[in-house]
Amino acid sequence: MEGPWVEKYRPRTLEDIVGQEHIISRLKRYVEQKSMPNLMFTGPAGVGKTTAALALAKEILGKNWKQNFLELNASDARGIDTVRTNIKNFCRLKPIGAPFRIIFLDEVDNMTRDAQHALRREMEMYTKTAAFILSCNYSSRIIEPLQSRCAIFRFLPLKGHQIKERLKYIAEEEKLDYEPTALDIIAYLSEGDLRKAINILQAAASLQEKITEDTIYEVVSRARPKDVRRMIKTALKGDFMDARNLLREIMILQGVSGEDMVDQIYQEVSRLAMEGSIEVETYIKFVDSIGEYDFRIREGANPRIQLEALLTTFLSK
Amino acid sequence: MMSWTEKYRPKTFNEMVGNKKAIKEIKKWIQAWKNGKPQHPLLLIGPPGTGKTTLAHIIGSHFSDKLELNASDKRSHDLLMNIIGEASTTKSLFNDNLKLIILDEVDGIHGNEDRGGVRAINKIIKESKHPIVLTANDPYSKKLQTIKPACKIITIRKAHPNSIVAFLKRICQKENIEADPKILRELAKRSHGDLRSAINDLEAMAKGEKKIGAELLEAGEKDVFPGLFDAIRAILKSKNIRHIKEAMQIDEDPQLLLEFTAENIPREYEKPHEIRKAYNHLSRADIFFGRATQTRDYIYWRYASEHIGVGVALSKDETYKKFTRYAGPGSFQFFGRTKTKRQIIDNLAEKISKKLHISKKVAITTFPYLKIILEDEKTAQEIRKYLELTNEEFKILKGKRKPSKIKKMEREDPPIKEKQTTLLQFK
């Protein structure tokens, strides 16, 4: 029974982690000393934050790591109170067969300021028994007092050659037949996100015996939601109601988050401009409003309303 | 073509809807003038669409002539004095040659254009030998402060819904339209005593029709959220701040009000720049909601409400004279319709997030790749076992199997390489 390659080839040790050398060497020191401060991992998706946390836990806690490790997501749909209850219940117990316990809390930047303050209190309460690893995409959205209680590690997007190396390793292990340039294309398209790169590789392997550049383009094209393009074109034609319906379908039914929507809208608008479907002058105006609404989504309460508003800026006069 | 509000404007006191007591007073006032006893000017105060201007004109028909100025005229001091000052002081020798001076919407005088307007009105009232009728909406207007003491004030009240229904029914009979009584009652209720708006709504809905049925009204809209649709109507139809704010005083979650307003903006507003402007206000409102949640300080809600109400209302160039069927948020209906499917997707995201150590949000972004990966039968079975997927979840993730033809068509849409020829024009 094997999981998707993203899991199958997740590095199990700190040694195996791709890139982030400066961070890994520090983490290894914690392992040597068998102690660690509270940590904060920040950086974009797919650069090794979770992998580093898992590997560190395994190495520092020893063979009983699983019982002493708690993985939680701060944006749990059941609410922040559930998250806090879980932390409390976990921390009340003494570490079993390990020097201390580790709580890995993902997406802390999605917590409200109030919840972050509460978290700070909890971190103080359990300093003797537990260490926290907080993970987030944007450290700017973390309150000062939380940041000051953690050693902060900034994970960088992976370099093209680092991604390519890892893909090559996987391809050899899986005995894939591939054109070397195909891996270059993946490395380029994945924009420093190794998870995405590996997903593209596995999807390509599912499609064809021999992986070529065209295979990669096909994967990326098919994985890209068609609806976003259709939605933008509908708005450009001036049909706001239909465009809005498409937006709702994508967000509500497919569950695409506001941030991902902005991302995809930006990509599609860029593509339309490259193809000449949008005039340059209009393009730069659109980019500006996308940026504006990207910002508003972070400030506002309802990303869908912000995106509906963004769509109105695409309506022709 | 004459609008119905003009066509069916009452010509006599008998045709007026309601306000029997006020009419009795007015008749006495006319009689006194006719008997050679000059009276204080009449000040008719009442909400829009209750018949003040109509009454003024009917009063005018009892005198030999009438002179009218309304809010859209420039009422500078000089202008007023030229037109009215002269007309009012030059009185003919005969009492039966009285001219009625009508000053419409005197509380609407404002700004530089009308500088001195109030002063002029006071002067006219003082010097006029002719009967004067003034009308105003707002009894508490500052502009009326000096005018009121010199006038006989008559309060004009909103018409009762039943009287409005009766009036609408008469119009339908004359226009040969068969109307469902339910729809007339609904129009009357919506108008909140504003007969003019009720007639406008009826005209928009029924002109040229033989029959109007209740299906024209959004089914049950009133029952679920009673005040909500009234608020939406006020926001989208009105530009009067007071009217909008009053209609918005309902006991509903403001974020729900935002959703309802959003839904109906493109149903009412037709011009892209109006929709854009209105939605920008909703966007701003949402930011204040965000601030309220972030800081737990709900004072910010009031700024959000102003954006939703006044902001959206002022986004239209002018009020659309049409009947719009308003709807509840499509997104809510969508939530309802897709509940089962969303539940499955949510469970699926949850499972994948646990197994792959990622958040649900990230899990969802991997769906499209997993979908392609699952096209390989052997891998599909392995992954299915690994993720412990149910039949349903597996099916959703895999998506519908497409015939190879469609696959080919999709292949014709490669990224980067694709060249588009259509050029959309923007001005």
Side-chain angles (χ1 to χ4, degrees), chain B residues 249-261:
Chain B
Q249 279 169 9
I250 47 171
D251 195 17
E252 288 288 357
D253 175 0
Q255 281 178 275
L256 187 68
L257 179 65
L258 185 144
E259 287 277 10
F260 271 78
T261 312

Side-chain angles (χ1 to χ4, degrees), chain B residues 196-374:
Chain B
R196 181 171 44 211
S197 83
I199 297 172
N200 279 333
D201 277 355
L202 179 69
E203 182 179 0
M205 193 191 267
K207 204 167 202 170
E209 304 285 334
K210 290 231 155 11
K211 201 174 163 182
I212 46 172
E215 70 277 0
L216 278 169
L217 299 168
E218 187 62 29
E221 72 167 44
K222 288 278 163 177
D223 309 331
V224 194
F225 302 104
L228 214 41
F229 281 98
D230 290 334
I232 300 301
R233 195 161 289 114
I235 292 168
L236 295 177
K237 286 285 187 197
S238 175
K239 278 198 170 195
N240 179 317
I241 296 182
R242 177 196 294 249
H243 180 201
I244 294 161
K245 285 197 170 196
E246 268 171 18
M248 282 177 72
Q249 279 169 9
I250 47 171
D251 195 17
E252 288 288 357
D253 175 0
Q255 281 178 275
L256 187 68
L257 179 65
L258 185 144
E259 287 277 10
F260 271 78
T261 312
E263 178 61 38
N264 292 298
I265 284 171
R267 291 172 194 275
E268 179 77 27
Y269 296 176
E270 290 166 5
K271 298 179 198 124
H273 73 264
E274 292 174 330
I275 298 176
R276 200 174 302 141
K277 228 165 134 187
Y279 248 106
N280 187 44
H281 282 293
L282 293 189
S283 160
R284 296 288 309 159
D286 180 63
I287 286 173
F288 284 110
F289 285 140
R291 287 176 184 161
T293 337
Q294 274 291 327
T295 61
R296 300 254 171 123
D297 189 346
Y298 292 93
I299 192 81
Y300 295 111
W301 274 17
R302 66 184 187 199
Y303 310 114
S305 293
E306 297 285 347
H307 272 296
I308 297 169
V310 182
V312 171
L314 295 183
S315 299
K316 56 184 165 285
D317 291 345
E318 50 194 76
T319 301
Y320 285 94
K321 291 222 164 25
K322 65 175 180 182
F323 174 78
T324 315
R325 240 196 289 178
Y326 297 127
S331 51
F332 288 17
Q333 291 159 18
F334 203 81
F335 271 114
R337 256 204 328 271
T338 58
K339 200 176 164 202
T340 340
K341 198 168 176 196
R342 275 189 302 114
Q343 193 59 53
I344 298 171
I345 292 176
D346 194 64
N347 290 343
L348 187 58
E350 173 96 34
K351 265 187 194 173
I352 293 177
S353 90
K354 287 266 148 61
K355 290 279 178 186
L356 302 188
H357 303 282
I358 51 183
S359 69
K360 278 205 262 185
K361 211 174 73 190
V362 175
I364 286 168
T365 64
T366 66
F367 280 5
Y369 300 105
L370 282 171
K371 190 177 164 185
I372 303 173
I373 292 169
L374 295 186

Side-chain angles (χ1 to χ4, degrees), chain A residues 7-264:
Chain A
E7 201 49 43
K8 188 175 171 188
Y9 292 102
R10 186 193 287 283
R12 308 291 152 178
T13 62
L14 290 172
E15 186 63 40
D16 290 342
I17 287 177
V18 179
Q20 321 293 358
E21 292 82 4
H22 60 296
I23 295 173
I24 301 306
S25 61
R26 287 273 301 282
L27 297 183
K28 280 182 184 163
R29 290 291 295 269
Y30 297 147
V31 176
E32 283 165 23
Q33 294 161 1
K34 290 274 170 224
S35 95
M36 57 177 273
N38 292 319
L39 308 178
M40 181 178 297
F41 292 172
T42 91
V47 295
K49 299 187 295 296
T50 303
T51 302
L54 287 168
L56 175 65
K58 216 180 288 177
E59 289 178 34
I60 206 167
L61 297 177
K63 63 178 189 323
N64 293 319
W65 77 278
K66 272 196 177 156
Q67 295 96 294
N68 294 294
F69 182 74
L70 177 69
E71 185 181 357
L72 289 171
N73 192 297
S75 51
D76 190 305
R78 280 157 300 189
I80 195 63
D81 288 336
T82 321
V83 173
R84 287 170 58 190
T85 314
N86 281 339
I87 293 177
K88 261 182 213 158
N89 291 339
F90 182 74
C91 290
R92 255 206 305 265
L93 301 170
K94 279 192 178 148
I96 314 153
F100 50 89
R101 317 193 101 188
I102 293 178
I103 295 147
F104 176 58
L105 191 52
D106 201 5
E107 302 200 346
V108 180
D109 43 355
N110 283 340
M111 294 169 80
T112 64
R113 268 180 253 171
D114 269 12
Q116 289 187 32
H117 278 290
L119 178 63
R120 185 195 69 174
R121 281 194 294 278
E122 257 131 45
M123 283 171 67
E124 273 163 1
M125 225 186 293
Y126 305 113
T127 37
K128 293 228 170 86
T129 49
F132 283 79
I133 305 176
L134 309 182
S135 168
C136 64
N137 294 132
Y138 308 97
S139 61
S140 60
R141 286 161 71 178
I142 310 291
I143 58 168
E144 253 325 297
L146 260 193
Q147 293 197 38
S148 77
R149 280 168 177 74
C150 297
I152 299 179
F153 291 91
R154 298 187 194 282
F155 285 64
L156 302 172
L158 295 171
K159 303 236 165 53
H161 71 87
Q162 293 170 324
I163 288 187
K164 205 183 148 189
E165 241 166 72
R166 190 68 184 169
L167 293 178
K168 212 169 148 191
Y169 168 76
I170 296 172
E172 304 293 331
E173 290 285 311
E174 293 289 333
K175 301 188 175 58
L176 301 182
D177 186 9
Y178 65 94
E179 277 177 9
T181 48
L183 301 190
D184 287 320
I185 304 289
I186 300 180
Y188 171 74
L189 292 173
S190 56
E191 298 170 307
D193 179 345
L194 187 54
R195 182 188 299 117
K196 190 172 168 189
I198 297 175
N199 275 327
I200 294 175
L201 182 68
Q202 189 173 13
S206 272
L207 275 189
Q208 256 143 25
E209 285 297 319
K210 183 172 168 81
I211 299 171
T212 65
E213 285 185 37
D214 282 345
T215 326
I216 306 304
Y217 283 126
E218 188 181 337
V219 167
V220 176
S221 159
R222 282 178 55 182
R224 197 178 73 216
K226 303 282 168 303
D227 296 341
V228 174
R229 190 184 187 87
R230 201 144 57 90
M231 173 186 83
I232 294 169
K233 285 191 161 179
T234 309
L236 291 177
K237 266 188 279 170
D239 191 342
F240 178 64
M241 290 273 260
D242 278 0
R244 189 172 72 174
N245 282 339
L246 278 169
L247 175 76
R248 289 171 174 176
E249 203 176 305
I250 302 167
M251 290 193 75
I252 297 170
L253 185 53
Q254 300 174 25
V256 177
S257 71
E259 281 165 50
D260 284 330
M261 264 326 271
V262 177
D263 207 43
Q264 288 177 13

Side-chain angles (χ1 to χ4, degrees), chain A residues 2 202 206, chain B residues 373-374 376-384:
Chain A
E2 279 181 344
Q202 189 173 13
S206 272
Chain B
I373 292 169
L374 295 186
D376 182 81
E377 258 332 295
K378 192 169 154 268
T379 320
Q381 289 315 320
E382 274 174 12
I383 287 180
R384 181 184 179 173

